[in-house]
Structures are given as C-alpha cells and as structure tokens.
Amino acid sequence: MGAAPRITIVGASLAGLRTAEAVLALLPEARVTLIGDEASVPYNRPPLSKDVPQALAQGAAEAAQFARLVLRSKIPEGAVQMRLGQAAVSVGPGGVRLADDTLVPGDWIVAASGLRPRRLALPGAEAHRHVLRSFDDAVRLARDLRPGARMVVVGGGFIGCEIAATARKLGLHVTLVEPAPHPMQRALGPRVAGAMAALHRAHGVVVVTGRSVAGLTLEHVILDDGQALEAEVIVEALGSHPNVEWLAGSGADLSDGVLVDDQMRAIGASRILAVGDLARFANPLFDAVPRRVEHWCVPGQTARRAAETIAAQEMGHIPTAGFAPMPSFWSDQHGLRLQAFGAPALADATRVVEGDLTQIGHHPIIVEYLRDGLPVGVLGLGANPAALAAHRARLDAALSTSVAC
Ligand SMILES: Cc1cc2nc3c(=O)[nH]c(=O)nc-3n(C[C@H](O)[C@H](O)[C@H](O)COP(=O)(O)OP(=O)(O)OC[C@H]3O[C@@H](n4cnc5c(N)ncnc54)[C@H](O)[C@@H]3O)c2cc1C
C-alpha cells in the first residue's frame, strides 16, 4: 500500500464532520483535514429556528446555548487537522486554496460546504432584516424578538414557519407572507399544508398567501398588491443558494449544488466528492432524477457513502452497488411535531390513515403520500412514534419492492 491518503474536506459542519468520522473508521491511517469558514467547532443547526432564539431572547447565556449545539464526535483528539475560520476559495490539482493563500493538499477533496440563505433582491430596512443559517444569525435575531414587536416572515418554508411559531410563543405579532396558496405546500402537498396554515392561524399568525414582497421601507414590508405590513423585524426565509463558488473550474456540474453519482463522486471531477445539503443525487427509491435534499439525515447518509467510495478506491475494492437512502425529516411548530419518512414532496395524492386534518394540533394524524397510486412517503403530525413506525415499515417494504423492479 502507498502513502496514507490525504482527505481534504471543505465545510466543517454536520456533513464534513460525519465524513471525517466515516473516513477514519474505514481508513484509520488517512490524513484528514477539515476546513471551515465559521470560526467555531461544528454545531447542530435545527434548534436555531426553534428553542435557541427563544432561550436567547429570554436571557439565556450565548455560551451555554452554543455549548448545547456542539456536535459530539467519535474522532480521537488530534486525528483530524482542523482549519477553522478559513474559507476555501478554489480547488485545483494541488489541493484546496484557502483565503489566506495557503494550499491544503488532498488526494481526495470532499465538498461539504452546504448552503447560504437567499436574500430579497430589494434595498431598505437593512438594520432589522434577518436570515437564519448560523448561530450568529440566531444571536442577532434573538435581540429583536421583543414581546409586542411586529415581525414579518417572508417565505413559508419550514424555517420560516418555525421562526413564525417561535416568535408567536415570545409574544410578537407575526405575519407570514408566502407566494404559494399555502405555506410548506411544495413539501407537504396542498391538503396538509392547508391544515398547517389553519394551525398557524389558530396560534395567531397572520398568514398571507398568494403574495410576494415588492418593496421595503423603514417601517413597512410592501406587498405586490400594494398592502403595507408594519414590520419592526423582517425575516427573509426564501430558501438557499449552494456554496459552490470555490469549486468553479473543477469540471464538476455546479448547476444546483454538486451533481454526483451513486458513490458521491462529482460528475466531471472524479477525485471530488460531495455530501450533505450540497450533493445532488438520484435516489432509486423514487426515480432517476438527481435532487438536493435539505434534511438533517442526509449528511450522515452521504458521508458514509463518500467514505466507502474513498476507502474502496484506496484499497482497490469495487464499491458496493447502489445508494438508496430513506430520507426523513422533522419540524416543530406550535408544539406540534411533524415527522416524515420518504419523499412527500413527490406525491400526487394523500390519504389520511389516522386522525382527521381538521383536528390538527389536538389529535394525532398520520398521512400517507402516494405517487401513481404507490406510497412514496408518510407523515405524522403529533403522531405516536410506535404508530408511525408501523406505517414507516409499510413504506420501507413498498419502496424496496419498487427498487427491486
Ligand atoms: C435554521 C435551520 C433549521 C433546520 N431544522 C431542521 C429540522 O428541523 N429538521 C431537519 O431534518 N433538518 C433541519 N435543518 C437542515 C439541516 O440542519 C441541514 O440539512 C444540515 O445542517 C446540512 O448540513 P451540511 O453540513 O450539509 O451543511 P451546513 O450545515 O450548511 O454546513 C456547511 C458548512 O460549510 C461552511 N462553508 C461554506 N462555504 C465554505 C467555504 N468556501 N470554505 C469553508 N467552509 C465553507 C459553512 O459556513 C458551514 O459551516 C435545518 C437547517 C437550518 C439552517
């Protein structure tokens, strides 16, 4: 065997850390470097739209809140070289170039640089506009979460809806603006999204749909129908851009994240792999269309796959065939836990298999998602985990049959 391989990972968050762990588990002699542009150690993001801003707004210490988020790792002390507070700016045959012009060599480069929030392409109200991706964003937002303040959340995806719910809990007046007929409609389908809109309204969120933002002034968000919404706090929750600029010129397809094959290798740049929110891959559980999936489970699944690919190549093995991970996600809004398996967003029909959507928030509900009559997902809304597990098992069985065909 030759010299220990150098694995250079860009992005020191969930996907980057899990890749480092998985590589070292398979190749303990590997020389792994983890590069991250945030100065802090890797941390968990889901609480940033839920309990963290709430706790900070209620006076909890920043250091204690950050400590809760730090990702636990199985990596032995010193086994990974950490380059934190350093952005990767380019990649070439020699390795990864950092903002301070140093070059970090790598036999394999793993892109784990995730996403950044999209912004409204409008000037105005700069002092009280917020996005939410990092701990620093949550700290800044929490300072504006004063009971009685008027907040407008622009964008009704999961993050926007979670922030709206958190802000209501803190006593803010919240308006949620969404261009689609319902918030979260793309992810949950119209029936469930309609029920979720009713839940938000029942908790005092003003939900404005079918409208987008046309302008911002110091005190108002102006909608495209001329309506002026009072706003002392504005949250832009409009989705994300993949952080791919440092990969320009590498040969990889960067049209929406990094297009990878079923071994997480970038198409067009086979020594570069991509993992986590950044990776766009086909999942044969559903079809052959490559997609990015922005759920917490994906970094771990893709990290293990990337590590297997690197280890197989280094040891001259043939990598195991097929990559068909079961997606899952959760969300917490107004005390209701949403837990999904599969890909509800791909469904063309839904069937409520337990409960009643008009009783959302009061009684457990389980919804099955179907495409062409076959199950593609299941969602629990305040559902009992054991009941949901039984439906998940049926989904697993149905999807594994479709992969086998
Ligand atoms: C507010 C919030 C709430 C969420 N809630 C849920 C939830 O309830 N349920 C769920 O399933 N999922 C949730 N998610 C999604 C989940 O957190 C993500 O899927 C996960 O964080 C993706 O991990 P990642 O490592 O791929 O990307 P990221 O976590 O985005 O990490 C990428 C890292 O790379 C760094 N980076 C970027 N460019 C460079 C560069 N050029 N050089 C060096 N470093 C770079 C970034 O700063 C960042 O640290 C939530 C996400 C957010 C933001």
Side-chain angles (χ1 to χ4, degrees):
M1 206 184 291
R6 295 165 303 183
I7 323 292
T8 297
I9 304 168
V10 175
S13 183
L14 186 60
L17 185 68
R18 294 293 176 252
T19 304
E21 287 172 353
V23 163
L24 286 169
L26 296 173
L27 293 172
E29 75 287 2
R31 288 171 289 168
V32 179
T33 305
L34 192 53
I35 299 165
D37 61 359
E38 293 183 86
S40 51
V41 294
Y43 62 91
N44 210 17
R45 293 180 202 272
L48 297 178
S49 46
K50 305 177 183 76
D51 41 332
V52 165
Q54 183 185 342
L56 290 169
Q58 290 171 331
E62 273 176 39
Q65 287 304 304
F66 184 77
R68 285 178 48 210
L69 302 181
V70 172
L71 287 165
R72 292 207 188 103
S73 165
K74 301 174 199 119
I75 298 174
E77 187 76 28
V80 169
Q81 205 197 341
M82 302 290 273
R83 302 290 298 263
L84 299 176
Q86 284 279 353
V89 291
S90 64
V91 60
V96 173
R97 177 80 53 193
L98 303 187
D100 68 0
D101 209 31
T102 54
L103 184 71
V104 182
D107 302 308
W108 297 93
I109 309 296
V110 181
S113 45
L115 313 174
R116 63 179 180 276
R118 271 181 57 212
R119 305 297 308 246
L120 281 169
L122 292 167
E126 268 76 17
H128 50 263
R129 286 169 69 168
H130 295 271
V131 291
L132 196 52
R133 183 86 199 168
S134 67
F135 182 72
D136 290 347
D137 293 336
V139 169
R140 190 172 164 267
L141 174 64
R143 289 188 197 123
D144 275 359
L145 295 179
R146 292 176 305 274
R150 298 195 177 272
M151 170 187 273
V152 174
V153 179
V154 185
F158 284 110
I159 291 178
C161 287
E162 289 180 352
I163 296 167
T166 301
R168 277 301 300 143
K169 222 194 267 181
L170 288 164
L172 282 82
H173 300 285
V174 180
T175 303
L176 182 68
V177 179
E178 163 61 41
H182 302 294
M184 298 174 286
Q185 179 159 320
R186 201 160 47 91
L188 301 179
R191 280 179 77 198
V192 176
M196 285 300 298
L199 180 80
H200 277 276
R201 289 187 172 112
H203 282 82
V205 177
V206 177
V207 179
V208 178
T209 56
R211 298 266 68 97
S212 50
V213 172
L216 299 170
T217 69
L218 203 51
E219 287 163 358
H220 293 96
V221 169
I222 315 293
L223 301 187
D224 54 356
D225 62 354
Q227 234 186 114
L229 306 173
E230 278 183 75
E232 293 144 83
V233 192
I234 300 169
V235 180
E236 298 172 51
L238 301 149
S240 332
H241 282 298
N243 291 319
V244 291
E245 290 75 4
W246 64 276
L247 289 157
S250 64
D253 178 335
L254 308 177
S255 44
D256 175 22
V258 181
L259 178 65
V260 294
D261 64 13
D262 69 352
Q263 294 177 48
M264 302 294 111
R265 291 178 307 191
I267 308 283
S270 62
R271 287 260 153 188
I272 298 179
L273 296 92
V275 291
D277 278 3
L278 195 66
R280 183 158 64 95
F281 58 97
N283 189 333
L285 284 182
F286 306 107
D287 51 33
V289 180
R291 299 181 181 89
R292 287 189 309 98
V293 184
E294 298 176 24
H295 302 330
W296 191 90
C297 66
V298 172
Q301 293 165 331
T302 51
R304 281 191 295 279
R305 184 64 173 169
E308 282 165 14
T309 300
I310 295 171
Q313 299 257 347
E314 288 294 326
M315 297 192 286
H317 298 163
I318 299 180
T320 51
F323 179 61
M326 173 64 86
S328 67
F329 67 84
W330 81 96
S331 177
D332 294 318
Q333 298 172 34
H334 303 296
L336 182 75
R337 164 62 57 105
L338 289 79
Q339 173 74 63
F341 299 98
L346 300 183
D348 52 33
T350 50
R351 186 159 64 201
V352 177
V353 290
E354 192 179 309
D356 173 351
L357 284 172
T358 64
Q359 296 298 309
I360 193 163
H362 300 293
H363 293 288
I365 303 168
I366 298 181
V367 182
E368 210 173 67
Y369 285 78
L370 308 161
R371 182 168 64 172
D372 300 328
L374 298 172
V376 286
V378 62
L379 169 72
L381 299 138
N384 175 310
L388 193 57
H391 287 281
R392 190 218 151 134
R394 275 198 282 283
L395 176 70
D396 283 340
L399 289 174
S400 61
T401 315
S402 68
V403 173
C405 294

PDB file of all heavy atoms in Angstrom, residues 327-347:
ATOM      1  N   PRO A 327     -34.999   8.966   3.050  1.00  0.00           N
ATOM      2  CA  PRO A 327     -34.985  10.302   3.652  1.00  0.00           C
ATOM      3  C   PRO A 327     -35.943  10.386   4.838  1.00  0.00           C
ATOM      4  O   PRO A 327     -36.938   9.653   4.891  1.00  0.00           O
ATOM      5  CB  PRO A 327     -35.491  11.216   2.529  1.00  0.00           C
ATOM      6  CG  PRO A 327     -35.603  10.368   1.300  1.00  0.00           C
ATOM      7  CD  PRO A 327     -35.678   8.942   1.757  1.00  0.00           C
ATOM      8  N   SER A 328     -35.629  11.277   5.754  1.00  0.00           N
ATOM      9  CA  SER A 328     -36.571  11.560   6.846  1.00  0.00           C
ATOM     10  C   SER A 328     -36.359  13.005   7.282  1.00  0.00           C
ATOM     11  O   SER A 328     -35.271  13.566   7.070  1.00  0.00           O
ATOM     12  CB  SER A 328     -36.344  10.621   8.030  1.00  0.00           C
ATOM     13  OG  SER A 328     -35.096  10.892   8.626  1.00  0.00           O
ATOM     14  N   PHE A 329     -37.383  13.624   7.805  1.00  0.00           N
ATOM     15  CA  PHE A 329     -37.201  14.959   8.391  1.00  0.00           C
ATOM     16  C   PHE A 329     -38.216  15.187   9.483  1.00  0.00           C
ATOM     17  O   PHE A 329     -39.207  14.451   9.590  1.00  0.00           O
ATOM     18  CB  PHE A 329     -37.287  16.073   7.327  1.00  0.00           C
ATOM     19  CG  PHE A 329     -38.648  16.250   6.697  1.00  0.00           C
ATOM     20  CD1 PHE A 329     -39.633  17.025   7.301  1.00  0.00           C
ATOM     21  CD2 PHE A 329     -38.930  15.663   5.485  1.00  0.00           C
ATOM     22  CE1 PHE A 329     -40.890  17.195   6.716  1.00  0.00           C
ATOM     23  CE2 PHE A 329     -40.182  15.823   4.878  1.00  0.00           C
ATOM     24  CZ  PHE A 329     -41.156  16.580   5.495  1.00  0.00           C
ATOM     25  N   TRP A 330     -37.939  16.169  10.291  1.00  0.00           N
ATOM     26  CA  TRP A 330     -38.903  16.565  11.318  1.00  0.00           C
ATOM     27  C   TRP A 330     -38.972  18.088  11.354  1.00  0.00           C
ATOM     28  O   TRP A 330     -38.094  18.775  10.824  1.00  0.00           O
ATOM     29  CB  TRP A 330     -38.512  16.005  12.684  1.00  0.00           C
ATOM     30  CG  TRP A 330     -37.463  16.822  13.375  1.00  0.00           C
ATOM     31  CD1 TRP A 330     -37.656  17.806  14.304  1.00  0.00           C
ATOM     32  CD2 TRP A 330     -36.043  16.755  13.145  1.00  0.00           C
ATOM     33  NE1 TRP A 330     -36.434  18.349  14.670  1.00  0.00           N
ATOM     34  CE2 TRP A 330     -35.440  17.725  13.977  1.00  0.00           C
ATOM     35  CE3 TRP A 330     -35.228  15.981  12.330  1.00  0.00           C
ATOM     36  CZ2 TRP A 330     -34.068  17.937  14.003  1.00  0.00           C
ATOM     37  CZ3 TRP A 330     -33.851  16.188  12.355  1.00  0.00           C
ATOM     38  CH2 TRP A 330     -33.299  17.150  13.191  1.00  0.00           C
ATOM     39  N   SER A 331     -40.038  18.580  11.961  1.00  0.00           N
ATOM     40  CA  SER A 331     -40.162  20.019  12.193  1.00  0.00           C
ATOM     41  C   SER A 331     -41.025  20.189  13.437  1.00  0.00           C
ATOM     42  O   SER A 331     -41.882  19.336  13.722  1.00  0.00           O
ATOM     43  CB  SER A 331     -40.825  20.686  10.981  1.00  0.00           C
ATOM     44  OG  SER A 331     -41.007  22.073  11.220  1.00  0.00           O
ATOM     45  N   ASP A 332     -40.800  21.271  14.168  1.00  0.00           N
ATOM     46  CA  ASP A 332     -41.613  21.554  15.357  1.00  0.00           C
ATOM     47  C   ASP A 332     -42.245  22.928  15.187  1.00  0.00           C
ATOM     48  O   ASP A 332     -41.535  23.920  15.008  1.00  0.00           O
ATOM     49  CB  ASP A 332     -40.731  21.564  16.619  1.00  0.00           C
ATOM     50  CG  ASP A 332     -40.152  20.192  16.914  1.00  0.00           C
ATOM     51  OD1 ASP A 332     -40.887  19.206  16.776  1.00  0.00           O
ATOM     52  OD2 ASP A 332     -38.956  20.121  17.262  1.00  0.00           O
ATOM     53  N   GLN A 333     -43.569  22.975  15.229  1.00  0.00           N
ATOM     54  CA  GLN A 333     -44.279  24.255  15.071  1.00  0.00           C
ATOM     55  C   GLN A 333     -45.467  24.285  16.027  1.00  0.00           C
ATOM     56  O   GLN A 333     -46.293  23.369  16.006  1.00  0.00           O
ATOM     57  CB  GLN A 333     -44.766  24.399  13.622  1.00  0.00           C
ATOM     58  CG  GLN A 333     -43.604  24.424  12.619  1.00  0.00           C
ATOM     59  CD  GLN A 333     -44.050  24.360  11.169  1.00  0.00           C
ATOM     60  OE1 GLN A 333     -45.093  24.896  10.810  1.00  0.00           O
ATOM     61  NE2 GLN A 333     -43.254  23.701  10.344  1.00  0.00           N
ATOM     62  N   HIS A 334     -45.549  25.304  16.863  1.00  0.00           N
ATOM     63  CA  HIS A 334     -46.659  25.478  17.819  1.00  0.00           C
ATOM     64  C   HIS A 334     -46.859  24.216  18.663  1.00  0.00           C
ATOM     65  O   HIS A 334     -47.996  23.770  18.875  1.00  0.00           O
ATOM     66  CB  HIS A 334     -47.952  25.826  17.078  1.00  0.00           C
ATOM     67  CG  HIS A 334     -47.840  27.056  16.217  1.00  0.00           C
ATOM     68  ND1 HIS A 334     -47.610  28.310  16.749  1.00  0.00           N
ATOM     69  CD2 HIS A 334     -47.916  27.212  14.869  1.00  0.00           C
ATOM     70  CE1 HIS A 334     -47.560  29.195  15.761  1.00  0.00           C
ATOM     71  NE2 HIS A 334     -47.733  28.551  14.623  1.00  0.00           N
ATOM     72  N   GLY A 335     -45.773  23.609  19.087  1.00  0.00           N
ATOM     73  CA  GLY A 335     -45.881  22.429  19.950  1.00  0.00           C
ATOM     74  C   GLY A 335     -46.236  21.152  19.205  1.00  0.00           C
ATOM     75  O   GLY A 335     -46.396  20.098  19.818  1.00  0.00           O
ATOM     76  N   LEU A 336     -46.334  21.222  17.876  1.00  0.00           N
ATOM     77  CA  LEU A 336     -46.680  20.031  17.083  1.00  0.00           C
ATOM     78  C   LEU A 336     -45.415  19.485  16.425  1.00  0.00           C
ATOM     79  O   LEU A 336     -44.693  20.235  15.764  1.00  0.00           O
ATOM     80  CB  LEU A 336     -47.697  20.406  16.000  1.00  0.00           C
ATOM     81  CG  LEU A 336     -48.181  19.244  15.135  1.00  0.00           C
ATOM     82  CD1 LEU A 336     -49.162  18.364  15.919  1.00  0.00           C
ATOM     83  CD2 LEU A 336     -48.879  19.766  13.875  1.00  0.00           C
ATOM     84  N   ARG A 337     -45.162  18.199  16.586  1.00  0.00           N
ATOM     85  CA  ARG A 337     -44.021  17.564  15.920  1.00  0.00           C
ATOM     86  C   ARG A 337     -44.475  16.965  14.588  1.00  0.00           C
ATOM     87  O   ARG A 337     -45.395  16.147  14.543  1.00  0.00           O
ATOM     88  CB  ARG A 337     -43.448  16.490  16.858  1.00  0.00           C
ATOM     89  CG  ARG A 337     -42.521  15.448  16.264  1.00  0.00           C
ATOM     90  CD  ARG A 337     -41.230  15.993  15.673  1.00  0.00           C
ATOM     91  NE  ARG A 337     -40.374  16.765  16.530  1.00  0.00           N
ATOM     92  CZ  ARG A 337     -39.234  16.325  17.063  1.00  0.00           C
ATOM     93  NH1 ARG A 337     -38.844  15.101  16.843  1.00  0.00           N
ATOM     94  NH2 ARG A 337     -38.487  17.130  17.799  1.00  0.00           N
ATOM     95  N   LEU A 338     -43.862  17.429  13.506  1.00  0.00           N
ATOM     96  CA  LEU A 338     -44.062  16.800  12.197  1.00  0.00           C
ATOM     97  C   LEU A 338     -42.895  15.850  11.985  1.00  0.00           C
ATOM     98  O   LEU A 338     -41.728  16.254  12.181  1.00  0.00           O
ATOM     99  CB  LEU A 338     -44.049  17.822  11.064  1.00  0.00           C
ATOM    100  CG  LEU A 338     -45.240  18.773  10.936  1.00  0.00           C
ATOM    101  CD1 LEU A 338     -45.150  19.902  11.936  1.00  0.00           C
ATOM    102  CD2 LEU A 338     -45.290  19.351   9.519  1.00  0.00           C
ATOM    103  N   GLN A 339     -43.176  14.619  11.612  1.00  0.00           N
ATOM    104  CA  GLN A 339     -42.098  13.651  11.372  1.00  0.00           C
ATOM    105  C   GLN A 339     -42.428  12.914  10.083  1.00  0.00           C
ATOM    106  O   GLN A 339     -43.520  12.328   9.971  1.00  0.00           O
ATOM    107  CB  GLN A 339     -42.015  12.670  12.537  1.00  0.00           C
ATOM    108  CG  GLN A 339     -41.056  11.517  12.336  1.00  0.00           C
ATOM    109  CD  GLN A 339     -39.594  11.945  12.447  1.00  0.00           C
ATOM    110  OE1 GLN A 339     -39.173  12.383  13.506  1.00  0.00           O
ATOM    111  NE2 GLN A 339     -38.840  11.842  11.372  1.00  0.00           N
ATOM    112  N   ALA A 340     -41.521  12.981   9.117  1.00  0.00           N
ATOM    113  CA  ALA A 340     -41.810  12.364   7.814  1.00  0.00           C
ATOM    114  C   ALA A 340     -40.725  11.377   7.424  1.00  0.00           C
ATOM    115  O   ALA A 340     -39.567  11.521   7.809  1.00  0.00           O
ATOM    116  CB  ALA A 340     -41.920  13.435   6.741  1.00  0.00           C
ATOM    117  N   PHE A 341     -41.132  10.381   6.650  1.00  0.00           N
ATOM    118  CA  PHE A 341     -40.204   9.441   6.021  1.00  0.00           C
ATOM    119  C   PHE A 341     -40.545   9.390   4.540  1.00  0.00           C
ATOM    120  O   PHE A 341     -41.722   9.520   4.162  1.00  0.00           O
ATOM    121  CB  PHE A 341     -40.343   8.043   6.636  1.00  0.00           C
ATOM    122  CG  PHE A 341     -40.036   8.018   8.102  1.00  0.00           C
ATOM    123  CD1 PHE A 341     -41.061   8.057   9.037  1.00  0.00           C
ATOM    124  CD2 PHE A 341     -38.724   8.015   8.552  1.00  0.00           C
ATOM    125  CE1 PHE A 341     -40.784   8.061  10.392  1.00  0.00           C
ATOM    126  CE2 PHE A 341     -38.439   8.025   9.913  1.00  0.00           C
ATOM    127  CZ  PHE A 341     -39.473   8.048  10.833  1.00  0.00           C
ATOM    128  N   GLY A 342     -39.505   9.148   3.721  1.00  0.00           N
ATOM    129  CA  GLY A 342     -39.745   9.091   2.286  1.00  0.00           C
ATOM    130  C   GLY A 342     -39.714  10.486   1.675  1.00  0.00           C
ATOM    131  O   GLY A 342     -39.030  11.376   2.186  1.00  0.00           O
ATOM    132  N   ALA A 343     -40.463  10.675   0.598  1.00  0.00           N
ATOM    133  CA  ALA A 343     -40.415  11.944  -0.132  1.00  0.00           C
ATOM    134  C   ALA A 343     -41.835  12.459  -0.382  1.00  0.00           C
ATOM    135  O   ALA A 343     -42.331  12.406  -1.518  1.00  0.00           O
ATOM    136  CB  ALA A 343     -39.660  11.748  -1.439  1.00  0.00           C
ATOM    137  N   PRO A 344     -42.509  12.989   0.650  1.00  0.00           N
ATOM    138  CA  PRO A 344     -43.866  13.513   0.463  1.00  0.00           C
ATOM    139  C   PRO A 344     -43.953  14.519  -0.685  1.00  0.00           C
ATOM    140  O   PRO A 344     -44.986  14.597  -1.353  1.00  0.00           O
ATOM    141  CB  PRO A 344     -44.182  14.173   1.807  1.00  0.00           C
ATOM    142  CG  PRO A 344     -43.327  13.449   2.793  1.00  0.00           C
ATOM    143  CD  PRO A 344     -42.068  13.087   2.056  1.00  0.00           C
ATOM    144  N   ALA A 345     -42.869  15.271  -0.918  1.00  0.00           N
ATOM    145  CA  ALA A 345     -42.917  16.308  -1.959  1.00  0.00           C
ATOM    146  C   ALA A 345     -43.146  15.720  -3.349  1.00  0.00           C
ATOM    147  O   ALA A 345     -43.572  16.432  -4.259  1.00  0.00           O
ATOM    148  CB  ALA A 345     -41.621  17.116  -1.945  1.00  0.00           C
ATOM    149  N   LEU A 346     -42.853  14.428  -3.544  1.00  0.00           N
ATOM    150  CA  LEU A 346     -43.010  13.828  -4.871  1.00  0.00           C
ATOM    151  C   LEU A 346     -44.415  13.282  -5.108  1.00  0.00           C
ATOM    152  O   LEU A 346     -44.728  12.797  -6.199  1.00  0.00           O
ATOM    153  CB  LEU A 346     -41.995  12.689  -5.055  1.00  0.00           C
ATOM    154  CG  LEU A 346     -40.523  13.077  -4.939  1.00  0.00           C
ATOM    155  CD1 LEU A 346     -39.641  11.871  -5.205  1.00  0.00           C
ATOM    156  CD2 LEU A 346     -40.196  14.198  -5.928  1.00  0.00           C
ATOM    157  N   ALA A 347     -45.270  13.326  -4.092  1.00  0.00           N
ATOM    158  CA  ALA A 347     -46.583  12.674  -4.203  1.00  0.00           C
ATOM    159  C   ALA A 347     -47.542  13.477  -5.079  1.00  0.00           C
ATOM    160  O   ALA A 347     -47.428  14.691  -5.206  1.00  0.00           O
ATOM    161  CB  ALA A 347     -47.175  12.508  -2.807  1.00  0.00           C
TER     162      ALA A 347
END
